[in-house]
Every structure is written in structure tokens, then in C-alpha cells.
Amino acid sequence: MQRDVIAPLVIAALVALAPFAGQTDYFIHILVQILLWGFIYTAWSLMGRFGLVSLGHGAFMGIGAYVTVLLWNFFELTPWIGMPIAVAAAVALAAIVGWPCVRLRIVGHYFALVTLALTAVVALSIVGLRDITGGSLGLTPNREAAGTSIYAFQFASKTVFLYVALVLWLIGLFVWRAVDRGMGRYALQAISSDEDASASVGINVGVEKIRIILLSAGLTALGGAVFGQYQMYINPETVSGIGVSLQIVFAVVAGGMFVQLGPTVGAAFTLILAETLRILIGNEYHAADTTIYGLMLVLFIIFMPKGILGAVFAGLERAKAKAA
Amino acid sequence: MLKLEGVSAGYGDFQALFGASLDVQAGEAVAVIGPNGAGKTTLLRVISGIIPLREGHLSMEGRPLDRVPAHRIIETGIAHVPENRRLFPRLTVEENLKIGAYLPAARSRFAERLDFVYSLFPRMKERRNQLAGTMSGGEQQMCAIGRALMSGPKLLLMDEPSAGLAPVIVQQVFDLVRRIRSEGYTVLIVEQNIQQVLKVVDRAYLLEVGRIKLSGKSADLLASDEIRRAYIGL
């Protein structure tokens, strides 16, 4: 078996054992967060690694979370159906925005700006439709009486969510692997460096690009939907909006977007950093953690463009080359 | 094999080609020569479907190409070696060649064609794990030709293969073109280096400001006063 199968399975096995080791709820909570965000970051990197830098994933995540909760609250539609609908909605939006970008060859910074606008539009719509969405105050899924209900996708125990998040995370990594091993990776790498030359060897540039965009958007929406169910509270700031879009990019840049586990490392790194800063600094200096975040992002881009895991692998390669 | 009849094309308001007609027979090497801005690259881009045809007709072995999108041109047996190589610089030489065999039909014959390209250009075999962007210009040109050959084309379109290369390397590149010819490929080559290219091809067309002004056997063109005065400087 290959590294891209073994490593995820070994990590998954260790995480699966965590609840049996008598870990605290807080520890489990951190793990769930790392896995859910790790999944979303992995979904983002599916396209980000090919030069399709999207600042629109806050929109897709928000749609995933909001559509699921709204369908439940207003129509009592189980999230088991609501989540696929939410994913379909995000995919449809990605197609509406993505296809013109592909046709008109909006790439690079311009693509990032178009997707940034998408995030802003979705976040403002959520705030604006406050009668339905609760606006800036956010929204809580109607709670099933017992607190735990498979039908309502509500679980009082964090351990259940740990396993849900674990499965989701593994799905993300295996989608990554499938893309990485297929001809699609070559096609997308070729497209990211030269669209005309790619077309001339027979790559259908438009179809390849839109396919990875839709895949990435759909998985992100799924992550958002599960995240909303886990938190049992969503608001435009935490699951949508420009803040979320930027958070995704920062974490992925930190962890490394070109290697399979890079986005997960980014999730672990940023969450542990945020928690540490929060505990050390407390709430006294409100923006201190974000400031340090921003500073670190700049440092990462300058000194470690491949991210933590990317730099580690590059170092190992160099050591191996030296030894040989 | 390839036939263009009254082809016009351009970019936005700017028209680059005005009713250009030419044909290439199987087994021939044909050049389109002319100064900068004459529309030579545009001509190849129209054939490759990268920019749309505005007027006229375009066909390959009798099959019309007027509405065929860029990524399906290669299925008709036309492979484009674009201007300035346009390799995928962050991929290795072998990955570049692999992408050249992207079509399912070509993928199944990948190993065989790879051997062929390596036998034609042993240098590429030595460099197969090197990133394409780190090679010299001449080597990149080899790789670009190799990438085009991986699809098993009948007709090779070459856009300014000598552009941006040192004079010594230019000689090597024209040697490459001769090798490709002797392998039986039909070649349509666009060049500014008129004196050199006319020694390699059978026939040529002179393109000026988007119109075909002259055409004929390369020996005749080399001897013609107009070409000598205007382009070779004798």
C-alpha cells in the first residue's frame, strides 16, 4: 500500500481510539474541529493547488450550513436529505459563478476577486434575510427533545461527532488521492501553467476546471453542513463571510496545499495556535490573536511557501538526495 | 492534407488575417514566412482552434475544422508546437511527454511512443526527471517537439521554433526539423528566419500584413529578387 493510504488510516485509527483513552470533552472538541476544518481545507486545496485560489469558499460553507438548518427548522426536513440539497445548492452556485470565469478565462488574482465578491454577496444575503436566517444573531437548529436523534442529525455526545468528522475527513483525503493519481492531476497542472498549450494536447480546459471547482465547492458545503450540526449554532461570521474564506487560505498556506495531509496540518496548527493564544492572552487584548495570525501568514508566504508539511517533505527529499 | 480557403481571423476589433489560402500535401514540409506582425502565429492559432475563424474554410483530410474546439483538433492528427515552446515548466520532461499523450487513444500507446521520442532525442531520456523549465532553450524545443509527437500526429505545426534562441542553437533546431521530416511527418512551419527555413522546407508562402503575397518552391523563393531584397538583405 502507498503512503497516501497508510498515513490517513494510521492517523484515523489513533483518533478513533482517543475516546477510549479517557480524554476530556475539551480534547475531543479540539479533535472534531481539526477534522472538520481539515476536511474543508482539503476540499479547498483540491482546486487551490492548481492555482485556482478561491476566496469564495466561505460562501459554499455558509450555504451548506444554512440550507441544512433552514430546511430543518422550517420544513422539518431531516438533514439526511437537507445536507444533499445544501450541497446541490452550493454546487449550482459554483457552476453559475464558475462557468463564466472558466469561459472568460478569469484566472489568478481576478478569479480570487470574483470569488471574494461571491462570499460577500452570500454573507450579506444571510444578514439581510434576517427574518428567515436570524441575521447577524445567527440561527440554532430546533432541538429534538432528547438531545440525540439520528433523524435530526443531533448528537449530545461529542464522541459521535468525532466519528462523523473522522469519516468525512477520510473521504476528503481519498478524493484528494483519486484526483492526485488520475490523469486529471496532470491535466490541471498543465492548465494552471498554460491553458492554450493544454488545449493543444487535447485537454478540455473548461470541463477539467469546472469539474474540480464543483467538486471542491460541494465538499466544502458538506463540511459546512456537518459543522453547523455539530455547533448547533451558526452565524454569518462563523460559517460564512470573508473571515472564513481568509481563514481557509491562511490555514492551507500554513499547512501546505500541495501535499495530501498539508491542509490537515494547517487545521491542527491554526486551531492549536488560536487556542494557545486565547488561553495565554485571554480576552484582554481582543485582536492580539488575529494580529499574530496575520503576521504569521506573511512570514509563511515569504519563508515557507510550501507550508509546514511541504517544507518537511522537501527537507526529507534533500536529506535523502544527500545520503544517496 | 490541410487546406485553408479564404481564412480571416483577428482579435476583437483588430483583424490579423485577410482571406488567406494555403494547402499542405501529405509528406511535405511547408513554411509560412514573413515579418513580425504579419499574422503568422495567428494563422497557426486559427488552425489549432485557439482563436475562431471569422470567414473562410479550414479542413484536414477533407474533414471541416471550422467549428472544432481547440482541445479536439489534436484528434484530427494535428499537433501544435507553440511559439516559445510553452512547456509546462514545473513538470518534469517525462510528465510533459505524458501530457502530450493525454488522449485516450494516445495513452494506450504511451510506452511505445515514449521510446520513439527518446530514441529520436536521447538527450530527453537523460533529462527525463528534470523540470522542463530548468532546461536550455534548445532542449526545451526538443521537449516541445517530443510532446507534440506523443499524440502520434500526422501533421506538425511549428510556430517560430528558432525564436529566442542563440544562433548556434538555431542551427540545432533546424536540424531537428530535418530529422522530423525524415521520419515522415508532414510539417507546417512558421518562421521569421527566412534564409534558414527555406533550406529545410519544400515550399513556402510569404505572408505580409495578413495576406498571402507570394508562394512557391523554396529554391525559387530563395532566388527571387523580392525576397532577397526585403528579407535576406542581399
Side-chain angles (χ1 to χ4, degrees):
Chain A
M1 277 213 285
Q2 308 93 344
R3 189 169 73 182
D4 56 358
V5 179
I6 294 173
L9 289 180
V10 169
I11 296 169
L14 289 177
V15 172
L17 289 175
F20 299 105
Q23 296 299 343
T24 59
D25 259 10
Y26 175 69
F27 184 77
I28 301 287
H29 171 69
I30 296 293
L31 278 182
V32 173
Q33 296 262 346
I34 289 175
L35 291 172
L36 283 180
W37 284 110
F39 170 71
I40 290 167
Y41 299 161
T42 305
W44 183 91
S45 304
L46 285 175
M47 58 189 275
R49 66 185 289 216
F50 298 118
L52 292 163
V53 173
S54 160
L55 295 174
H57 276 49
F60 303 132
M61 187 179 171
I63 286 174
Y66 268 90
V67 169
T68 307
V69 174
L70 289 173
L71 287 174
W72 170 248
N73 282 3
F74 283 91
F75 304 105
E76 286 176 23
L77 186 69
T78 165
W80 292 101
I81 300 171
M83 284 195 281
I85 293 175
V87 168
V91 168
L93 183 67
I96 291 168
V97 176
W99 187 242
C101 284
V102 166
R103 294 302 304 189
L104 300 171
R105 295 207 173 188
I106 296 169
V107 295
H109 301 106
Y110 299 98
F111 182 74
L113 285 175
V114 169
T115 53
L116 180 68
L118 171 68
T119 297
V121 168
V122 169
L124 288 172
S125 304
I126 293 172
V127 175
L129 295 167
R130 57 178 61 82
D131 292 341
I132 305 168
T133 60
S136 312
L137 294 177
L139 189 62
T140 302
N142 293 338
R143 199 173 277 277
E144 280 290 273
T148 292
S149 155
I150 293 177
Y151 179 76
F153 209 91
Q154 294 174 5
F155 308 102
S157 146
K158 289 196 189 309
T159 311
V160 176
F161 267 107
L162 180 68
Y163 292 112
V164 171
L166 192 57
V167 170
L168 210 56
W169 178 74
L170 280 175
I171 290 172
L173 294 184
F174 283 98
V175 170
W176 174 290
R177 178 178 183 272
V179 171
D180 200 48
R181 301 210 159 224
M183 203 64 189
R185 178 179 69 122
Y186 289 109
L188 287 161
Q189 273 179 333
I191 290 168
S192 77
S193 66
D194 194 325
E195 295 200 357
D196 282 341
S198 304
S200 79
V201 297
I203 297 169
N204 192 337
V205 174
V207 167
E208 292 292 338
K209 279 175 85 171
I210 198 73
R211 204 152 58 179
I212 201 77
I213 290 171
L214 298 187
L215 183 64
S216 174
L219 291 177
T220 302
L222 181 60
V226 174
F227 185 79
Q229 295 303 116
Y230 173 63
Q231 299 279 29
M232 285 299 281
Y233 168 70
I234 55 180
N235 86 35
E237 295 291 306
T238 55
V239 298
S240 184
I242 289 160
V244 173
S245 289
L246 292 176
Q247 173 194 340
I248 294 175
V249 177
F250 171 46
V252 166
V253 167
M257 70 176 91
F258 302 106
V259 285
Q260 186 195 28
L261 289 170
T264 307
V265 170
F269 174 77
T270 50
L271 280 162
I272 292 168
L273 178 71
E275 286 298 296
T276 313
L277 290 175
R278 194 171 60 84
I279 293 163
L280 285 181
I281 300 172
N283 287 329
E284 252 176 88
Y285 305 99
H286 213 66
D289 51 346
T290 359
T291 310
I292 294 175
Y293 245 60
L295 193 65
M296 293 195 72
L297 177 58
V298 173
L299 293 176
F300 267 107
I301 290 174
I302 296 174
F303 295 109
M304 223 190 254
K306 286 179 179 169
I308 297 169
L309 200 60
V312 168
F313 282 154
L316 288 178
E317 289 283 317
R318 267 201 304 277
K320 219 160 60 181
K322 228 179 200 171
Chain B
M1 182 181 249
L2 180 75
K3 205 169 171 65
L4 274 72
E5 290 167 286
V7 165
S8 297
Y11 309 88
D13 289 336
F14 173 73
Q15 189 166 355
L17 281 179
F18 301 85
S21 298
L22 65 80
D23 67 281
V24 181
Q25 305 296 322
E28 256 190 330
V30 175
V32 175
I33 55 178
N36 249 340
K40 303 188 299 296
T41 295
T42 306
L43 188 79
L44 291 194
R45 289 166 70 89
V46 170
I47 299 172
S48 289
I50 296 170
I51 58 171
L53 192 74
R54 288 193 181 158
E55 278 168 47
H57 292 292
L58 182 60
S59 68
M60 172 74 177
E61 295 183 314
R63 177 184 165 184
L65 299 184
D66 303 350
R67 294 273 168 272
V68 178
H71 66 275
R72 313 216 40 184
I73 289 290
I74 197 162
E75 292 168 18
T76 66
I78 301 176
H80 193 161
V81 183
E83 194 175 8
N84 301 322
R85 279 77 71 184
R86 305 277 283 266
L87 291 173
F88 305 117
R90 289 186 304 270
L91 299 180
T92 65
V93 168
E94 193 152 310
E95 284 171 330
N96 268 277
L97 296 176
K98 190 167 182 177
I99 290 180
Y102 182 79
L103 288 186
R107 246 176 267 177
S108 59
R109 304 184 59 185
F110 172 70
E112 174 195 332
R113 296 223 174 100
L114 190 65
D115 282 346
F116 170 67
V117 169
Y118 282 158
S119 70
L120 207 57
F121 307 128
R123 182 82 62 84
M124 290 301 102
K125 191 169 189 179
E126 289 165 27
R127 308 247 151 162
R128 65 176 182 271
N129 293 321
Q130 191 172 331
L131 293 185
T134 64
M135 295 193 299
S136 73
E139 288 166 342
Q140 290 194 21
Q141 190 66 56
M142 269 185 209
C143 188
I145 295 173
R147 183 178 71 189
L149 294 180
M150 290 300 292
S151 65
K154 296 170 195 155
L155 172 66
L156 214 54
L157 305 180
M158 302 183 79
D159 194 353
E160 302 257 3
S162 77
L165 298 178
V168 191
I169 310 293
V170 169
Q171 283 300 330
Q172 291 174 11
V173 166
F174 282 110
D175 286 341
L176 287 181
V177 176
R178 277 197 197 92
R179 292 247 288 288
I180 299 301
R181 279 216 59 191
S182 64
E183 291 293 332
Y185 290 98
T186 308
V187 179
L188 177 62
I189 181 170
V190 149
E191 253 304 336
Q192 269 190 71
N193 193 333
I194 290 168
Q195 196 168 14
Q196 293 285 352
V197 78
L198 286 180
K199 291 179 189 161
V200 181
V201 298
D202 306 306
R203 287 193 298 123
Y205 294 85
L206 173 65
L207 194 64
E208 276 183 1
V209 248
R211 293 179 174 84
I212 302 273
K213 276 200 68 183
L214 263 181
S215 68
K217 291 210 162 75
S218 23
D220 297 343
L221 288 177
L222 260 179
S224 89
D225 284 344
E226 188 173 353
I227 297 265
R228 289 170 71 87
R229 224 179 309 113
Y231 297 106
I232 301 180
L234 291 173

